[in-house]
Amino acid sequence: MYKIPLVRETIILFCVSVSTVIGSWVVVRYGFDFRYLLFLAILVTLMAVIIMGKIGLRVGFVAWIWMFVLGYRTVHVTSNFSIHPLLVLMTILFVMLLFSLRFEKIELHLPLLLWLFSIFWVWGFIPGVVAGIPWMGMLADALNFFFLLPLFFVILYLSRAPGFWKLASMTFLASGVTICFLGVIEAYFPSAIRLIIGLNQTNAEGFVSFSGFTRASFAFWGANPAIIVGALPLPLVLLVPGFYKKNAMPLTLFVTMISCIGIYISGTRMAWLMLLITSLMLAYFVFDVMGLGLITLFWLVASQFFTSQIWALIYSIYTPLTTGYFLDSSAEKRYARQSYAFELALGHPMGVGWTGSGWVHGDFIQVAANLGLVAGFLFLAWY
C-alpha cells in the first residue's frame, strides 16, 4: 500500500488548517456566497496541485488558465497593493518546477529579449523612488511583468510533454466560451444570474453606451472588459475539428455561436473588430479565396440589418481620425492619457518609474513612459 510521505502529510495538515481558519473568517466577514465558494475551490485546487507533485504541474497550469474566468477578483493586501489568485498559483507552480528540476537534467532557455527587457523591470523602481511613488503601488504594477519569468519557465517545461498544446489551447478556448456564456445568460435571463448569491447588487440588466446600445455588464467576471478574454481565443475554434473528431461540427458551431453572441452583446468595439478580422482569416485559411469572398459577402449583407446604435459605435472608431471629434468620452480620455504618456516618454527617456504615467490604456506607451524608451522598444520588439 502506497504511503504518503511525512512531508506531504504535514503540508496537507497545514493547508487544511489554514484554509479552515481563513474560510471561517470569510464566512463571518462576507457570508456564505459565491465568493466563499470560489475561495474554497481555489484552496482545494492549490492543495491538490501540491499533493500531486509532478503531475500537479500540468493540472495546476490548466487550473491557472481557468482562473481567467475569475475576472478582477483580487486579494487586497493593502490600499495600494492587491494580488490576483493567478499570481499566487503561478508562484506555487514555479516553486514546484524548481524542485522538480533538481532531479532532472533539463535546460530551459528563455528568449534573449526577455532577459534584456527584465533589466528595466528593476530599473523602474529607481526613478519611482526618486519621484516619491509609493512602493506598494510600484510593486503591484511590476508584478505583472515579473511573473512573465515563471510563466515562461513553466510553459517551456510543460510543453515538452505530448498533447500539452492541445490541452492548453482547448482550456483557454473553454474559459473564453464560459465567460461569454455567463454574459449571455446574464443578458437574456437576468433572473437566472441573480440565483448566484452575492451578485444581486450588480447591474445584471447591462448598461447603455453613449450610442444607446445596451451593453452586457458581465457581472460574474466583474466588468464589461471580460469580453476581451472571451474574444482572444476565438481563432482556436479552427482546432476543434482536428482535436475532437466525434461531434466536431456541433461542438464547433456551439462554441462559435456562444462566443459571437457574447462579443455582440458586449458592445465593445475592439471585440467587434477582433471578430471581423478573425472571421476573415479563418475563412481564408479553411476555404481559401472562395471562403474569404463568402464571408465578406456575409458581412456586407449582415451590415444592412445593423441598427443605428451599432453604426454609431462603429463610426466612433474612425471619426476622431477623420474629423478630430470624439463621439464618446471614453475614447477621448484614452487618447488624452496616451498622448500624455507619449509626451512623458519623450521628455523622460529613462522613464518616470512604475505607475508614474498612470493607467494609459496602451501597454507599449505605458512601458516606454514608466521604464524608458529602450524598454518600450524591447517590449515592442517581441511582436
Side-chain angles (χ1 to χ4, degrees):
M1 181 176 180
Y2 176 72
K3 181 175 177 59
I4 299 177
L6 182 60
V7 176
R8 288 191 182 179
E9 290 181 345
T10 305
I11 293 175
I12 294 172
L13 179 62
F14 175 77
C15 290
V16 171
S17 302
V18 172
S19 62
T20 301
V21 173
I22 298 178
S24 301
W25 176 83
V26 171
V27 172
V28 174
R29 179 70 174 80
Y30 297 106
F32 191 84
D33 59 14
F34 81 101
R35 290 170 296 181
Y36 175 75
L37 295 177
L38 287 176
F39 172 79
L40 184 62
I42 292 172
L43 281 181
V44 171
T45 300
L46 293 179
M47 287 189 289
V49 167
I50 294 173
I51 295 171
M52 295 174 71
K54 188 174 180 180
I55 300 177
L57 274 173
R58 190 180 179 98
V59 175
F61 187 74
V62 171
W64 184 83
I65 297 176
W66 271 111
M67 281 187 179
F68 282 110
V69 179
L70 294 178
Y72 283 142
R73 293 180 178 87
T74 58
V75 178
H76 297 281
V77 181
T78 69
S79 57
N80 293 319
F81 180 72
S82 300
I83 190 167
H84 197 281
L86 280 164
L87 301 184
V88 177
L89 179 54
M90 184 51 62
T91 301
I92 293 175
L93 294 179
F94 183 58
V95 173
M96 291 175 61
L97 174 61
L98 293 180
F99 276 104
S100 180
L101 290 177
R102 293 178 58 189
F103 307 101
E104 299 182 50
K105 295 181 179 180
I106 301 173
E107 293 185 2
L108 303 176
H109 300 284
L110 296 186
L112 177 61
L113 280 177
L114 180 58
W115 287 119
L116 293 176
F117 184 33
S118 66
I119 297 173
F120 293 92
W121 304 346
V122 180
W123 163 257
F125 290 99
I126 298 176
V129 170
V130 174
I133 301 175
W135 269 96
M136 283 300 182
M138 290 194 293
L139 183 61
D141 195 15
L143 280 179
N144 295 314
F145 290 88
F146 275 108
F147 274 86
L148 287 175
L149 293 177
L151 175 61
F152 269 55
F153 273 120
V154 170
I155 290 179
L156 279 174
Y157 177 80
L158 292 177
S159 62
R160 298 165 56 254
F164 168 78
W165 288 112
K166 172 185 176 180
L167 180 64
S169 59
M170 290 299 97
T171 303
F172 186 38
L173 177 61
S175 65
V177 173
T178 300
I179 291 173
C180 291
F181 180 75
L182 290 173
V184 171
I185 295 297
E186 171 193 338
Y188 294 105
F189 307 98
S191 58
I193 203 71
R194 293 195 188 98
L195 295 177
I196 303 178
I197 302 174
L199 281 180
N200 295 336
Q201 73 278 13
T202 60
N203 183 13
E205 287 75 24
F207 57 96
V208 180
S209 68
F210 73 94
S211 68
F213 185 92
T214 302
R215 306 171 65 187
S217 56
F218 290 88
F220 186 87
W221 198 85
N224 182 263
I227 198 56
I228 299 300
V229 184
L232 277 174
L234 186 57
L236 296 176
V237 298
L238 185 64
L239 303 178
V240 174
F243 287 152
Y244 303 100
K245 303 295 184 182
K246 188 177 181 180
N247 300 322
M249 184 57 68
L251 182 60
T252 303
L253 291 177
F254 174 78
V255 167
T256 304
M257 179 186 68
I258 294 297
S259 298
C260 290
I261 296 176
I263 290 171
Y264 169 71
I265 64 176
S266 73
T268 303
R269 291 160 293 186
M270 180 62 69
W272 286 2
L273 185 60
M274 292 167 66
L275 174 60
L276 174 63
I277 294 174
T278 299
S279 64
L280 293 173
M281 295 186 70
L282 289 182
Y284 175 75
F285 284 126
V286 176
F287 302 108
D288 209 353
V289 179
M290 179 65 71
L292 183 61
L294 289 175
I295 197 65
T296 301
L297 179 62
F298 166 80
W299 283 119
L300 290 175
V301 173
S303 65
Q304 303 304 309
F305 299 92
F306 289 175
T307 64
S308 58
Q309 291 88 352
I310 294 177
W311 281 116
L313 280 172
I314 295 174
Y315 288 149
S316 66
I317 297 176
Y318 65 86
T319 299
L321 301 176
T322 57
T323 65
Y325 176 72
F326 290 89
L327 295 177
D328 66 307
S329 58
S330 64
E332 186 173 10
K333 290 178 181 177
R334 295 187 183 202
Y335 175 77
R337 289 180 179 183
Q338 296 194 26
S339 298
Y340 172 71
F342 186 69
E343 293 175 0
L344 272 182
L346 295 180
H348 301 79
M350 299 301 291
V352 295
W354 289 111
T355 74
S357 62
W359 191 14
V360 177
H361 281 287
D363 292 339
F364 299 118
I365 299 178
Q366 183 169 322
V367 167
N370 290 347
L371 308 184
L373 292 176
V374 176
F377 172 77
L378 288 173
F379 187 39
L380 181 62
W382 286 10
Y383 298 88

